[in-house]
Amino acid sequence: MKRLAVFGGAFDPPHSAHVAMVEAAAVLQPDRVVVIPTGQAWHKVRPLSGARHRVAMCRLAFAHLRQVEVDERETRRTGPSYTADTLAELRSEHPSTELLLLIGGDQADALASWHRLPEVLENATVCIAERGHPFSEISTNFHMKWPRGRFLPLPMPPSPANSTAVRQRIAHGGLDELLAQGVVNPGVARYIAEHHLYRDPE
């Protein structure tokens, strides 16, 4: 394996923009893509949905993409999940493989706050989905701060979908609408309905 793309996140729930990012990563020609649901998110104020739900929904959301593997390693850890730890493990498992870390432009804005960022940049090429954040501006800013880092653009069409808005719409009875709009796929929508996720408390 020459290139392994790594896509981590809460995926609470996974939606069309997540899938679009993995599909866009095809231009990078990865041999495989690992989707890694976060375990205990150190940077999230709100509690995440149970790991088993988020893992199950990821398997449904990405099932049609044959190169994708859902990796549960972060959900099995105790304590906070850090990308630096995950990349170090993957580097140890695949010493001759180039690691590509897929992130959105919104995540790129917060990159300076990441735990052990120099280790992240040492182990992976950071591939930034523009999504309204021009890569030229992001890249210039990054190279000024982290000249040893490796950064690549990941062109993808704009997508308004985000997990916060999806949860809010589901809480207000909008799951069928999200399904009709293709924001969540049928398997994920069924799972959410069957497990009564994201509903307002009674």
Side-chain angles (χ1 to χ4, degrees), residues 91-200:
R91 166 62 55 229
S92 177
E93 294 164 16
H94 308 282
S96 60
T97 295
E98 180 182 5
L99 301 181
L100 308 173
L101 180 65
L102 310 182
I103 67 171
D106 53 342
Q107 292 173 297
D109 289 340
L111 195 63
S113 67
W114 282 27
H115 187 67
R116 298 181 0 239
L117 179 60
E119 293 179 41
V120 172
L121 299 180
E122 181 180 344
N123 280 317
T125 298
V126 180
C127 304
I128 304 167
E130 298 183 74
R131 293 186 64 188
H133 298 67
F135 177 78
S136 58
E137 296 177 12
I138 296 171
S139 179
T140 299
N141 186 38
F142 282 0
H143 280 297
M144 288 175 62
K145 292 183 178 179
W146 305 291
R148 296 180 63 184
R150 294 162 291 166
F151 307 96
L152 288 175
L154 180 57
M156 64 177 288
S159 172
N162 68 78
S163 294
T164 299
V166 169
R167 290 192 302 272
Q168 290 173 347
R169 287 175 69 182
I170 294 170
H172 292 88
L175 181 57
D176 288 343
E177 183 182 0
L178 291 169
L179 176 59
Q181 294 172 345
V183 176
V184 294
N185 77 19
V188 173
R190 281 194 300 272
Y191 189 95
I192 290 170
E194 289 171 3
H195 293 273
H196 311 291
L197 300 180
Y198 313 119
R199 292 187 177 181
D200 278 334

Side-chain angles (χ1 to χ4, degrees), residues 42-119:
W42 62 272
H43 59 295
K44 297 281 188 183
V45 175
R46 66 172 187 87
L48 299 178
S49 300
R52 69 181 182 90
H53 292 311
R54 293 182 292 111
V55 168
M57 287 189 288
C58 281
R59 295 196 191 284
L60 293 167
F62 296 99
H64 64 292
L65 300 173
R66 63 178 182 82
Q67 288 182 302
V68 173
E69 170 190 333
V70 177
D71 186 317
E72 300 182 47
R73 72 179 67 219
E74 289 194 6
T75 68
R76 293 171 176 162
R77 286 190 200 137
T78 57
S81 292
Y82 295 119
T83 300
D85 292 329
T86 297
L87 291 176
E89 290 176 3
L90 291 169
R91 166 62 55 229
S92 177
E93 294 164 16
H94 308 282
S96 60
T97 295
E98 180 182 5
L99 301 181
L100 308 173
L101 180 65
L102 310 182
I103 67 171
D106 53 342
Q107 292 173 297
D109 289 340
L111 195 63
S113 67
W114 282 27
H115 187 67
R116 298 181 0 239
L117 179 60
E119 293 179 41

